Every structure is written in C-alpha cells, then in structure tokens.
Amino acid sequence: GLPPALQRRVAEERAAGRAVEISHRLLVSFFDCEAGAFFGSTWESPLEPIPPSPPPTVSLPPIDHDRDVFFHSPLTGDRYILVVETCFSLRYPHDAALATGAEAQTRTGAGP
C-alpha cells in the first residue's frame, strides 16, 4: 500500500478539499553488494495512474506490475543483485492550474 507519510499527505489534502492524483512506476537497478554501490543505468517504467479511493479512505487498490523486465550484464556472481523499487508520485491538479495562470500572466504582461 501507500507508505504512511504519503497516506497522511493525501488525507491532509483531501481534508482541505484539494484533489491529489497518485501514480506509480517501477525502478530497477543493478547493485554490487561488496562495493555497496549501484552501477549502470536505472530502468524506469512509465508512470501509471492509480484509481482514487473514495474519501475518506486513503488506501490503494492492489497494484499489478504485469511487466516483463530483462537485464543482462557481463558481471555475474552472488555479489550482484537487481533492486526493484516502487516509486509513488503525487500530482496536485490545483497547483498546476495556478502555475499555468501565473505563467500566462507573465508571458502576456497581463495581471494585477
């Protein structure tokens, strides 16, 4: 599910009457356990929206990561692993509308 800190943030936004859109993506990276470091490029899946739960609930439906991911490397052995992370993204549509309005005023020189 959604990490507790994000659950609180979404609940606060909803309590204030503001919409929050939640999306997720997978990140996959190589990690060298002996060196304690990531190496190579991190693969990122596309950002996928998560359907909102009805207020006041701030839970997530099960997330299906139905995705085939293939990695190859000349490095082999137990010291090398793949780290798979789920990354959540919060988008605030009300902020985007305000930013767009301010940008339009700046471009045209209009405004208060």
Side-chain angles (χ1 to χ4, degrees):
L2 198 61
L6 292 181
Q7 285 182 20
R8 285 190 299 277
R9 181 66 185 257
V10 170
E12 290 167 2
E13 293 293 323
R14 285 185 174 174
R18 294 186 292 262
V20 178
E21 297 171 359
I22 306 171
S23 301
H24 74 97
R25 71 173 48 177
L26 288 178
L27 305 172
V28 184
S29 307
F30 279 110
F31 186 78
D32 182 335
C33 294
E34 288 182 19
F38 289 94
F39 63 95
S41 298
T42 298
W43 176 83
E44 296 183 21
S45 72
L47 200 56
E48 298 180 26
I50 298 172
S53 57
T57 306
V58 185
S59 61
L60 293 179
I63 298 173
D64 183 16
H65 297 292
D66 187 17
R67 191 167 296 280
D68 294 327
V69 179
F70 299 93
F71 278 81
H72 61 88
S73 171
L75 305 174
T76 60
D78 293 342
R79 71 183 275 180
Y80 306 107
I81 62 172
L82 282 177
V83 175
V84 180
E85 302 171 277
T86 298
C87 177
F88 293 98
S89 174
L90 302 181
R91 182 175 174 274
Y92 305 94
H94 59 279
D95 287 344
L98 292 173
T100 303
E103 180 181 306
Q105 288 180 0
T106 303
R107 278 198 314 254
T108 63

